[in-house]
Amino acid sequence: MKPLAETPAEERLKQLKTVYSRQREAAERFNAYITLRSLEEVEEDAESSEGPLKGVLLPIKDNISTRGVKTTCASRMLAGYSPPYDASVVKLLKKAGATVVGKTNMDEFAMGSTGENSAFGPTRNPWDVDRVPGGSSSGSAVAVAYHGYVSLGSDTGGSIRLPACYCGVLGLKPTYGLVSRFGLIPYAESLEQIGPFSRFSKDLAMLMKLLIEYDEMDMTMTPSTSLRNSIASRLEAIIKSTGKPAVVNGVKIAYSSKLISLADSRVQRVIENFISYLRDEMHAEVSDVDLPMLDKSLSAYYIIAMVEASSNLARYDATYYITRETYTSYWQDTIRLRSEKFGDEVKRRIIMGSFASSAGYMGRYYLKALKVRRFIKNLVSEVLSRFDFLLMPVSPSPPPKLGEAVGVDAYALDIYTVVPNLTGHPALAIPIGFSSGLPVGVQFISDYYKDAELVYLAYLLEDRVYDPRKAPG
Ligand code: GLN
């Protein structure tokens, strides 16, 4: 197995059947897919496509619109929906020759941390089927971990990085506004980004290079082409790299021992060893810094995310989502529709989000959460003005068993991941080891538009702290 970035198209086409059959296994054994296209469809597409991703099978999270292929958000509400258009990211990758292999399982409307809140059943962790793979982009992480190469997910509060960590692969949340979200079914837009999973750092670079095109359909994108060009050339340099330096003298990395001490002792141990490795073997300058209030980010995140969710999900009403034949009255039908078609977690968030932004309580909850967000943004920006990277755990624990982390226990898994969503910084989850046979990862956060520097860091650590070829049996 080698990076797709180093595999010629003919070779990818030759491997296609094998790669596809692994994905079918991932669908059957771990429930990684909501929709898997047939081998015939996939082969036909792959043979007729042209471009740098010819012969690449691409699993896509089921909240990213794909023309003519069902896009359900793992919800009964959208169970029969086939979008009439492609999301911009899908359009870009198809134009580059990629073949959509299927739509991956996820938490309903991307609300969850374990992959269990799906109307189509939970996704399972390929390293241990009794454990969760992490969510909400559960299927996209499993697809790569289980002998795949690359996939797409979305990350509102950790939904790429948490499953990447639990499944032992790379997962990147890009800088806010760097990758178009046109065609992503929204959950909480001030926080979320579409991003790639991969096992090889070069493949991450290759996908990112294609994904950062400016899109006037996404109003959050920064239209600076020169900025984009400089990122593209740095990504290209990673793809072309042959050797790598033995040490990284002068690279400054910050971490907070206080924050790490909030994690489970097994996770702590692996991360502490990794920090020693960075310091002693890689010669990085690693410093312990104080990050007061970062532990408040979880509360701020959940209030903001729920408020935005309650507003976004208001669109699912009897105007568009019932058929004319069953129509009785707007309110009656809307109540019935939403009671029947939304899962419990989605309902909980709509109720809490409406409450936290209601006239009488807005100041106490929503506006306060925005102030905490501002404070955290300043804090992280200040650290990143002095350091190249901020290192944090991804998850406070190894992957929980199915049914073990529900309600607020599931929210608590996000304590580290929500930080860069609140601040907009890019963050990359990198596998750094195993504890009792289960993957452990860390995330690196860097300054805005330093996404390529994060990918380069993964490149440096590849084959040294993690083996990109390692896969569950
Ligand atoms: N677990 C978080 C939530 O449920 C993050 C989900 C996500 O990033 N989409 O909101």
Side-chain angles (χ1 to χ4, degrees), residues 17-141:
K17 257 199 187 73
T18 323
V19 179
Y20 178 86
S21 67
R22 292 298 204 168
Q23 293 307 302
R24 193 160 51 203
E25 272 179 59
E28 286 161 5
R29 289 176 58 192
F30 315 117
N31 201 17
Y33 284 89
I34 292 175
T35 303
L36 185 69
R37 297 177 72 212
S38 72
L39 176 63
E40 293 69 41
E41 284 174 302
V42 164
E43 275 181 330
E44 201 184 306
D45 262 18
E47 263 146 38
S48 61
S49 75
E50 282 312 327
L53 296 185
K54 184 178 173 71
V56 172
L57 294 188
L58 185 70
I60 298 179
K61 188 176 182 181
D62 212 24
N63 59 351
I64 300 175
S65 303
T66 40
R67 188 161 63 90
V69 180
K70 268 199 296 173
T71 300
T72 69
C73 269
S75 181
R76 282 186 294 274
M77 186 66 82
L78 294 175
Y81 173 58
S82 270
Y85 66 100
D86 276 327
S88 296
V89 291
V90 175
K91 214 186 251 172
L92 285 172
L93 298 186
K94 273 187 179 173
K95 201 174 85 194
T99 297
V100 178
V101 62
K103 303 300 294 291
T104 57
N105 204 354
M106 56 182 280
D107 289 294
E108 184 176 5
F109 283 103
M111 297 174 190
S113 312
T114 64
E116 293 169 289
N117 300 337
S118 164
F120 304 102
T123 319
R124 287 166 185 274
N125 192 314
W127 294 98
D128 177 350
V129 291
D130 294 327
R131 293 182 185 267
V132 304
S136 63
S137 313
S138 49
S140 288

Side-chain angles (χ1 to χ4, degrees), residues 61 109-113 135-136 154-160 187 192 301-302 305 349 410-411 414 421:
K61 188 176 182 181
F109 283 103
M111 297 174 190
S113 312
S136 63
S154 70
D155 190 312
T156 312
S159 279
I160 291 176
Y187 157 24
E192 63 207 1
Y301 165 80
Y302 269 96
R349 295 190 185 208
Y411 298 176
D414 303 337
N421 300 89

Side-chain angles (χ1 to χ4, degrees), residues 175 197 400 443 454:
T175 299
F197 289 91
Q443 56 175 334
L454 290 172

